């Protein structure tokens, strides 16, 4: 194998190509990105970068010279439009690039509010790419009114930045509570209270009927009949894996581009990693939307492209920054039937299913996060009564 092509120059793509060289692959590597900039980190887009506390240079995962130094060809600013899995070529503009092995790290696309309800009016924004945030940032002026549709992590982080900048902020959440899809009521309650303390209005169990305005956003009407004036709207209503190219090439799709435990798609010469890829996990195809997953899965795929034959067995972790709160999450809480609250110096919420420890939400509590992550790595379930007792030294649970 001499030529590896990677489609998608984001977190996973950048990790994959760097790892290939680190593992000694000496052939040709081409990393292709639709965006006009080298691979960058997305998390600061809804945090420090949006707040104006981080420069563009610091967003980049590596300086552009890194790729040249490593003999990695970067092709930026144009998407791959087709893959021919039989000829083993990809189409880039008028060119056909040949590959021996191909990796898809195409990430995900933000869901948009339908045009039918005003989703295409100027002043409606999404938060996915650098270009989205650069277009939205000038709207963040003190005193302006923003309505954020969706009380998930991205929407809430944007709300925190807007509140810090002195905007009038309303978050709309259709579900009965914010973060319902990803967290226990205890975590939702703590984060709701934090936002309310900063003056953010949180309207739960409230849907968006339509966005109003003639030439740009002027307000929103709600499912309960109310109307709110708004200068701009942010849609934080989730993402969809970017599978269009894979689908057109005839690859199997199941909750993203379907891969086996080693990251190989239904075509033996094509691999996938990051937000766009799903992998076998407890009898289903799981897809994770996190930096940890993008890096770990991409590095594993790099090793497996070179014949390592390793399976992906992640202990997922995630974080969110809102105001002075750092929320750190280890594990996946899917299927939990019990939440144990620990209030020592800080707070943490521990998820269990049938007595088995699944995940922890640690609120400004790095020790709880670290211990929770280690327990998951070791496959241990701590005693709930010990966890709940603020006198328990958490580190001792690792030795139990
Ligand atoms: C605002 C924001 C905040 C976030 N905060 C956190 C956080 O706090 N913690 C956390 O763990 N995760 C966070 N995430 C999620 C994390 O950034 C993603 O999970 C991660 O970026 C996924 O990496 P990826 O490489 O799979 O996809 P991406 O980083 O999205 O990269 C995919 C790239 O592929 C390109 N591409 C797609 N199709 C083509 C094509 N046909 N040809 C060429 N290029 C193509 C896209 O343009 C894109 O540049 C956040 C995401 C966003 C948007």
């Amino acid at each position: 194998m001499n030529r590896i092509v990677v489609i998608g120059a984001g977190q996973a793509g950048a990790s994959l190509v760097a790892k290939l060289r680190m593992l000694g692959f000496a052939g040709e590597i081409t990393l292709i990105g639709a965006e006009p900039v080298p691979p960058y980190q997305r998390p600061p887009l809804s945090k420090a970068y949006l707040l104006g506390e981080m420069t563009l240079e610091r967003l980049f995962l590596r300086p552009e010279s890194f790729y040249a130094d490593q003999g990695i060809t970067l092709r930026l600013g144009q998407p791959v439009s087709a893959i021919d899995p039989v000829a083993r070529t990809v189409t880039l503009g008028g060119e056909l690039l040949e590959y021996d092995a191909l990796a898809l790290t195409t990430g995900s696309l933000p869901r948009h509010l339908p045009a039918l309800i005003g989703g295409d009016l100027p002043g409606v924004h999404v938060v996915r790419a650098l270009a989205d945030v650069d277009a939205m940032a000038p709207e963040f002026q003190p005193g302006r009114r923003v309505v954020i549709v969706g009380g998930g992590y991205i929407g809430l982080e944007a709300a925190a930045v807007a509140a810090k900048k002195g905007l009038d902020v309303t978050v709309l959440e259709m579900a009965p509570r914010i973060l319902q899809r990803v967290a226990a009521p205890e975590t939702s309650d703590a984060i709701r209270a934090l936002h309310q303390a900063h003056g953010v209005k949180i309207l739960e169990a409230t849907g968006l009927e339509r966005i109003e305005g003639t030439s740009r956003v002027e307000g929103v009407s709600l499912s309960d009949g109310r109307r709110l004036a708004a200068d701009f709207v942010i849609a934080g209503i989730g993402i969809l894996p970017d599978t269009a190219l894979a689908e057109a090439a005839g690859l199997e799709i199941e909750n993203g581009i379907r891969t086996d435990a080693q990251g190989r798609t239904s075509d033996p010469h094509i691999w996938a990693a990051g937000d766009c890829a799903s992998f076998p996990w407890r009898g289903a195809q799981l897809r994770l939307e996190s930096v940890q997953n993008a890096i770990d899965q991409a590095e594993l795929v790099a090793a497996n492209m070179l014949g390592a034959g390793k399976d992906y067995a992640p202990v997922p972790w995630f974080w969110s920054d809102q105001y002075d709160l750092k929320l750190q999450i280890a594990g996946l809480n899917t299927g939990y039937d019990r939440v144990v609250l620990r209030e020592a110096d800080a707070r943490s919420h521990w998820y269990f299913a049938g007595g088995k420890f699944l995940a922890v939400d640690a609120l400004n509590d790095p020790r709880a996060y670290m211990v929770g992550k280690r327990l998951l790595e070791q496959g241990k379930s701590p005693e709930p009564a010990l966890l709940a007792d603020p006198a328990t030294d958490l580190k001792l649970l690792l030795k139990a």
Side-chain angles (χ1 to χ4, degrees):
M1 181 176 63
N2 196 36
R3 294 159 303 182
I4 295 182
V5 171
V6 180
I7 305 177
Q11 184 80 60
S15 305
L16 202 159
V17 295
K19 189 71 179 181
L20 283 171
R21 282 288 185 249
M22 205 183 292
L23 293 172
F25 177 68
E28 284 174 27
I29 304 176
T30 307
L31 176 60
I32 308 172
E35 294 180 70
V37 286
Y40 59 90
Q41 355 165 25
R42 292 183 200 277
L45 294 182
S46 52
K47 309 179 181 77
Y49 183 75
L50 184 57
L51 202 52
E53 289 181 350
M54 189 177 191
T55 60
L56 177 62
E57 285 65 38
R58 286 193 47 219
L59 273 189
F60 295 126
L61 289 164
R62 301 186 185 264
E64 205 164 346
S65 57
F66 167 83
Y67 303 94
D69 293 348
Q70 294 287 314
I72 295 165
T73 306
L74 267 187
R75 301 287 304 265
L76 301 175
Q78 193 175 23
V80 168
S81 55
I83 301 167
D84 182 338
V86 177
R88 285 189 221 152
T89 56
V90 303
T91 308
L92 183 65
E95 264 179 89
L96 280 184
L97 308 183
E98 296 180 346
Y99 65 82
D100 299 311
L102 176 69
L104 299 177
T105 51
T106 49
S108 43
L109 296 168
R111 293 183 57 213
H112 287 264
L113 291 165
L116 213 62
I117 63 160
D120 58 350
L121 272 176
V124 179
H125 299 275
V126 294
V127 195
R128 179 70 200 173
L130 181 60
D132 299 328
V133 174
D134 285 344
M136 180 175 75
E139 304 256 30
F140 279 62
Q141 300 301 330
R144 296 187 85 227
R145 296 155 303 185
V146 58
V147 170
I148 297 174
V149 185
Y153 287 120
I154 303 272
L156 291 168
E157 288 179 356
V161 170
K164 268 183 151 175
K165 289 197 149 206
L167 280 79
D168 178 282
V169 188
T170 305
V171 175
L172 289 186
E173 173 52 64
M174 196 165 67
R177 60 180 172 87
I178 55 167
L179 300 175
Q180 172 153 310
R181 193 175 63 87
V182 289
E186 289 80 353
T187 300
S188 302
D189 291 348
I191 291 184
R192 182 190 310 103
L194 178 69
H195 279 273
Q196 287 171 339
H198 284 83
V200 171
K201 287 155 275 189
I202 299 209
L203 307 182
E204 293 163 307
T206 309
L208 172 74
E209 282 291 302
R210 66 176 299 115
I211 302 170
E212 291 168 358
T214 40
S215 57
R216 66 165 280 132
V217 173
E218 290 167 21
V220 297
S221 49
L222 310 181
S223 53
D224 60 11
R226 268 186 294 171
R227 188 185 177 281
L228 303 178
D231 297 305
F232 69 107
V233 167
I234 300 174
I237 54 173
I239 56 176
L240 297 168
D242 191 344
T243 58
L245 206 52
E247 242 177 301
L251 301 182
E252 277 177 33
I253 306 295
E254 185 182 346
N255 185 25
I257 304 169
R258 186 184 213 287
T259 71
D260 63 14
Q262 297 185 8
R264 202 188 285 261
T265 69
S266 52
D267 179 304
H269 301 283
I270 307 181
W271 306 73
D275 276 16
C276 67
S278 70
F279 57 94
W281 173 272
R282 298 183 187 150
Q285 285 294 116
L286 178 70
R287 204 171 52 76
L288 296 171
E289 299 165 0
S290 73
V291 165
Q292 165 268 331
N293 176 65
I295 296 173
D296 292 353
Q297 206 179 16
E299 292 193 342
L300 178 103
V301 163
N304 286 342
M305 283 175 121
L306 304 181
K310 285 188 199 146
D311 284 358
Y312 190 46
V315 174
W317 55 263
F318 188 81
W319 78 95
S320 176
D321 298 329
Q322 296 169 45
Y323 312 102
D324 295 328
L325 171 72
K326 182 172 255 326
L327 171 68
Q328 291 170 292
I329 301 164
L332 285 182
N333 64 17
T334 320
Y336 73 90
D337 55 24
R338 180 173 183 190
V339 179
V340 176
L341 229 69
R342 177 177 168 85
E343 276 192 286
D345 297 337
R347 266 172 90 105
S348 49
H349 305 151
W350 301 70
Y351 296 82
F352 289 81
K356 186 176 185 313
F357 172 50
L358 296 182
V360 60
D361 293 347
L363 290 80
N364 283 337
D365 194 345
R367 177 180 298 234
Y369 165 74
M370 189 273 291
V371 170
K373 189 162 178 281
R374 290 256 181 89
L375 287 167
L376 290 165
E377 282 161 1
Q378 295 172 4
K380 288 183 181 166
S381 292
E383 182 52 51
L386 278 177
L387 270 181
D389 181 353
T392 303
D393 178 353
L394 278 183
K395 283 196 173 159
L396 292 180
L397 298 177
L398 292 169
K399 299 195 178 117

